């Protein structure tokens, strides 16, 4: 039987995404269950986490399962991912053994591994996640690498809760300033899920250098065509915000300067005015505001925006718990051959 992973929402149809969101909404109404009774998940964090770790551990517990948290290089051996590597450095064991051994112990594996921020041509291969999916014999879940599919589902659920039908709602994914260049994962994912839900999406960024990787732009274009939405790129704040239903903020580094961040810094510093503030939100059509968190107040968004009724960032963060339970339950049901109840 082929193992199905949860690596990207692009691997899932719109109907399957809708089914996961319906199951997540049900878990929100009735948090406790036994869908993971006697089951376990290993959560490997190569990078720090607060919401992801907490929500996955609690989600497994609430469905009767057990989570084991590991930090390779800290409380577990450093792992080698290169095929044919001569392991005479810091790494102690190879992914070929790690993934297969964990697969004998647990029923699922979650992996969080950020880019190295040196060479995008290497980072975009998502080698850590891909290696786990290659060698594991149980489902692998992306806890955030160069995309963040769990955040996508939580975001979509929060939008549906507040707006109902998302078809052709005007959605703005806006770049915001941050003192450091950040991962494009959440921005990539926001673009994917908003277009998959049939929204009219605007990617707002300071200059063409901040347009996202062409892979995700192409996916988003295809999603928009398939689901009756649209996608455009804008560098004009006022026209992008005007009459928007959703403003989703995220900081990310410009890919053409990947690994040469000193050169990019001047451009980033010149666009602090992309902060989400009351004046910009006033241009929207009573628009919602959200962010994946953590958020630096008065850098990415003002206190007034974060504390306004329009801000649904806390709802989105809560929904991480519910959507991840839906993902885990669906993967377990599929791997066991039992009916999932999710329509797939």
């Amino acid at each position: 039987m082929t193992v199905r992973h949860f690596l990207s929402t692009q691997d899932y149809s719109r109907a399957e995404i809708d089914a996961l969101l319906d199951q997540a909404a049900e878990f929100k109404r009735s948090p406790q269950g036994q869908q993971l009774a006697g089951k376990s998940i290993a959560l490997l964090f190569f990078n720090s986490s607060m919401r992801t770790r907490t929500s996955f551990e609690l989600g497994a517990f609430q469905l009767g399962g057990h989570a084991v948290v590991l930090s390779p290089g800290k409380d577990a051996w450093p792992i080698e991912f290169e095929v044919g590597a001569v392991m005479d450095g810091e790494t102690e064991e190879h992914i070929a053994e790690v993934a297969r051994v964990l697969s004998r112990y647990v029923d699922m594996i979650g992996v969080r591994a950020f880019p190295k921020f040196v060479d995008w041509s290497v980072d975009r291969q998502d080698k850590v996640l891909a290696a786990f999916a290659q060698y594991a014999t149980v489902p692998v879940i992306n806890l955030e690498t160069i995309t963040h599919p769990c955040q996508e589902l939580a975001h979509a659920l929060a939008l549906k809760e507040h707006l109902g039908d998302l078809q052709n709602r005007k959605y703005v994914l806006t770049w915001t300033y941050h003192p450091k260049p950040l991962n494009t994962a959440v921005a990539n994912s926001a673009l994917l899920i908003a277009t998959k839900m049939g929204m009219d999406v605007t990617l707002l960024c300071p200059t063409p250098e901040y347009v996202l990787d062409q892979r995700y732009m192409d996916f988003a274009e295809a999603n928009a065509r398939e689901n009756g939405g649209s996608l455009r790129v804008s560098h004009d704040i006022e026209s992008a915000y005007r009459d928007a239903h959703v403003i989703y903020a995220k900081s990310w580094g410009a890919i053409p300067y990947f690994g040469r961040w000193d050169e990019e810094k001047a451009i980033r510093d010149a666009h602090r005015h992309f902060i989400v503030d009351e004046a910009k939100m006033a241009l929207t059509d009573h628009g919602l505001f959200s962010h994946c968190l953590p958020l630096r107040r008065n850098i990415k968004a003002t206190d007034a925006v974060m504390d306004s009724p329009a801000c649904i960032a806390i709802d989105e963060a809560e929904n991480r718990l519910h959507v991840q339970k839906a993902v885990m339950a669906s993967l377990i049901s599929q791997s066991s051959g039992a009916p999932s109840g999710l329509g797939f």
Side-chain angles (χ1 to χ4, degrees):
M1 180 178 176
T2 303
V3 175
R4 190 169 198 192
H5 305 298
F6 186 71
L7 309 181
S8 169
T9 56
Q10 285 303 112
D11 302 329
Y12 283 67
S13 69
R14 170 66 186 274
E16 290 172 331
I17 294 296
D18 286 339
L20 286 171
L21 293 174
D22 288 345
Q23 179 62 77
E26 181 58 35
F27 281 136
K28 192 168 187 174
R29 290 187 290 269
S30 302
Q32 304 296 325
Q34 289 298 306
Q35 289 84 348
L36 300 185
K39 304 297 183 180
S40 56
I41 181 169
L43 302 172
L44 284 86
F45 289 95
F46 293 84
N47 298 93
S48 58
S49 171
M50 195 275 276
R51 276 156 294 276
T52 300
R53 175 174 175 173
T54 305
S55 54
F56 263 103
E57 284 198 67
L58 287 176
F61 171 76
Q62 290 178 5
L63 295 186
H66 180 73
V68 177
V69 178
L70 300 168
S71 297
K74 297 178 182 177
D75 57 16
W77 296 117
I79 303 171
E80 178 61 58
F81 291 92
E82 293 297 328
V83 175
V86 177
M87 294 173 55
D88 58 358
E90 295 297 318
T91 54
E92 290 290 344
E93 57 182 336
H94 199 276
I95 183 60
E97 286 76 61
V98 173
R100 289 185 294 174
V101 169
L102 286 177
S103 297
R104 302 285 182 97
Y105 293 160
V106 300
D107 301 283
M108 293 175 286
I109 299 171
V111 179
R112 183 180 182 92
F114 293 171
K116 301 298 184 184
F117 292 99
V118 175
D119 184 343
W120 178 242
S121 69
V122 174
D123 281 343
R124 76 190 300 274
Q125 297 175 47
D126 221 358
K127 287 184 177 181
V128 173
L129 185 67
F132 272 98
Q134 176 185 348
Y135 291 107
T137 56
V138 297
V140 174
I141 301 174
N142 182 350
L143 310 184
E144 187 180 4
T145 56
I146 59 173
T147 58
H148 200 346
C150 294
Q151 191 75 49
E152 290 179 50
L153 296 184
H155 183 44
L157 182 59
L159 293 181
K160 285 169 66 71
E161 289 170 336
H162 287 269
L163 295 175
D165 186 9
L166 301 182
Q167 188 68 42
N168 297 119
R169 294 281 195 167
K170 185 175 179 182
Y171 178 101
V172 177
L173 169 59
T174 180
W175 178 93
T176 53
Y177 170 76
H178 192 283
K180 298 184 293 185
L182 299 182
N183 191 0
T184 56
V186 171
N188 293 335
S189 283
L191 206 64
L192 297 182
I193 199 65
T195 51
K196 191 174 280 281
M197 302 306 289
M199 304 182 83
D200 290 327
V201 179
T202 297
L203 173 62
L204 173 63
C205 53
T207 68
E209 290 100 327
Y210 288 88
V211 172
L212 296 170
D213 183 273
Q214 194 60 48
R215 173 198 293 165
Y216 299 104
M217 298 301 294
D218 290 345
F219 281 154
E221 288 276 10
N223 287 346
R225 287 194 302 270
E226 193 173 308
N227 295 286
S230 62
L231 173 67
R232 73 184 184 102
V233 175
S234 175
H235 307 302
D236 182 74
I237 292 173
E238 184 171 340
S239 66
Y241 271 79
R242 190 166 299 283
D243 298 324
H245 299 113
V246 180
I247 303 297
Y248 198 55
K250 188 68 184 79
S251 303
W252 65 85
I255 289 175
Y257 295 94
F258 214 83
R260 298 181 289 113
W261 299 117
D262 288 344
E263 297 175 42
E264 184 249 12
K265 188 175 186 302
I267 306 174
R268 193 159 19 99
D269 288 349
H271 291 89
R272 292 173 181 254
H273 60 286
F274 269 68
I275 186 173
V276 183
D277 56 25
E278 306 95 298
K280 295 185 186 71
M281 290 300 297
L283 297 170
T284 70
D285 182 5
H286 302 93
L288 300 173
F289 170 76
S290 198
H291 187 278
C292 63
L293 304 180
L295 177 141
R296 295 196 183 202
R297 284 178 173 240
N298 304 307
I299 294 292
K300 295 182 181 181
T302 62
D303 285 333
V305 169
M306 286 300 294
D307 296 330
S308 75
C311 181
I312 62 168
I314 302 301
D315 294 340
E316 180 174 329
E318 178 197 341
N319 286 346
R320 291 290 305 281
L321 175 63
H322 312 305
V323 299
Q324 288 158 194
K325 287 159 75 172
V327 169
M328 289 188 286
S330 71
L331 291 175
I332 285 295
S333 67
Q334 291 176 75
S335 62
S336 66
S340 68
L342 298 178
F344 57 90

